[in-house]
Amino acid sequence: VQVHPDDAYCLKKGSGAGKTESWYILDCEPGAYLLLGFEKDITREQFRQSITDGTLTDYVKKVPVKKGDFFFIESGTLHAICKGILLAEVQQNSDTTYRIYDYGRLGFDGKPRELHVEDAVNVTHTGVYKNPCTPKKDGNVTNLVTARSLRSAFSMLTALLTALRTKNLLCRFLFLTARVRLNARARLLNFQRAAAFSFPQTAATTK
């Protein structure tokens, strides 16, 4: 179970980069689920205590999934991909991850892997997860941009898979074209999110 910070937190720490991602469920077993956010709002101290005493999974939200579902995972969202799920992930180019809970697993050295408790407590949204990916007729700019980004992302994914199978130069060109489109959409999304903080009366956020 982990969380990614946003750019502002990384800038404050002087290392890393923020990360927002999205998941598309390609296939899954019956009863499969994701861990996303919490069942109900909790305080940061409750969050910290649940990590310390190993009861975090009593608080997190289990979200059932089915083939074709799409999830937008904004930075600061606690998340985990559980068993029986095959998904495609589109993400910001960052590997900054704060591990919150590791089910007692051991690393290659035979010791429990490091948890990043303080950073996780600082950046995690300790509320109920609400998936903002579905476009709404409420003027929510972020939702609309996300939906457009999804189409570009899967144009890129489809072209990439075809290129890997056929080694076709045209398919590789289509992949590069789709990637440029996706990057442009991501920049637009970041712009709209920034605008939401600067001009809250004209743009809505997903938080």
Side-chain angles (χ1 to χ4, degrees):
V1 182
Q2 61 189 27
V3 67
H4 305 299
D6 59 18
D7 288 331
Y9 187 80
C10 291
L11 184 62
K12 182 179 179 180
K13 281 182 64 72
S15 63
K19 183 175 179 179
T20 287
E21 56 196 303
S22 57
W23 297 338
Y24 180 77
I25 307 300
L26 298 172
D27 202 0
C28 63
E29 296 177 357
Y33 60 86
L34 302 168
L35 298 185
L36 292 170
F38 298 86
E39 284 286 355
K40 61 180 181 180
D41 293 350
I42 64 174
T43 67
R44 294 196 181 277
E45 284 308 313
Q46 288 176 310
F47 178 38
R48 186 196 306 275
Q49 184 61 40
S50 71
I51 299 173
T52 302
D53 60 25
T55 61
L56 178 68
T57 54
D58 295 339
Y59 296 90
V60 297
K61 184 176 183 178
K62 296 180 180 179
V63 180
V65 299
K66 64 182 184 300
K67 183 177 179 179
D69 283 348
F70 176 72
F71 297 90
F72 183 74
I73 316 297
E74 190 172 11
S75 57
T77 303
L78 174 149
H79 61 278
I81 304 168
C82 300
K83 65 179 181 179
I85 297 175
L86 175 66
L87 58 78
E89 178 176 302
V90 180
Q91 59 174 266
Q92 287 180 276
N93 185 19
S94 169
D95 59 2
T96 306
T97 300
Y98 301 143
R99 190 179 298 116
I100 303 172
Y101 181 73
D102 205 29
Y103 298 92
R105 292 181 294 189
L106 304 179
F108 293 116
D109 59 0
K111 299 178 181 179
R113 297 197 297 176
E114 180 185 6
L115 300 181
H116 311 100
V117 178
E118 289 306 314
D119 285 319
V121 170
N122 288 337
V123 306
T124 301
H125 304 316
T126 56
V128 178
Y129 171 78
K130 296 180 181 179
N131 187 10
C133 70
T134 304
K136 301 176 181 179
K137 297 179 180 180
D138 61 359
N140 191 318
V141 177
T142 303
N143 287 350
L144 297 176
V145 173
T146 302
R148 296 189 188 105
S149 298
L150 176 62
R151 288 195 293 271
S152 294
F154 284 97
S155 295
M156 178 184 74
L157 180 62
T158 301
L160 173 60
L161 293 176
T162 304
L164 291 174
R165 287 199 303 268
T166 66
K167 297 182 180 180
N168 187 292
L169 292 178
L170 175 60
C171 289
R172 292 182 182 179
F173 171 76
L174 292 174
F175 165 64
L176 291 174
T177 302
R179 186 170 65 180
V180 170
R181 291 173 58 202
L182 177 60
N183 289 338
R185 292 295 185 190
R187 287 194 297 271
L188 179 58
L189 174 58
N190 288 334
F191 171 79
Q192 295 288 2
R193 290 174 62 200
F197 286 100
S198 299
F199 309 103
Q201 72 276 18
T202 59
T205 67
T206 58
K207 293 184 178 180

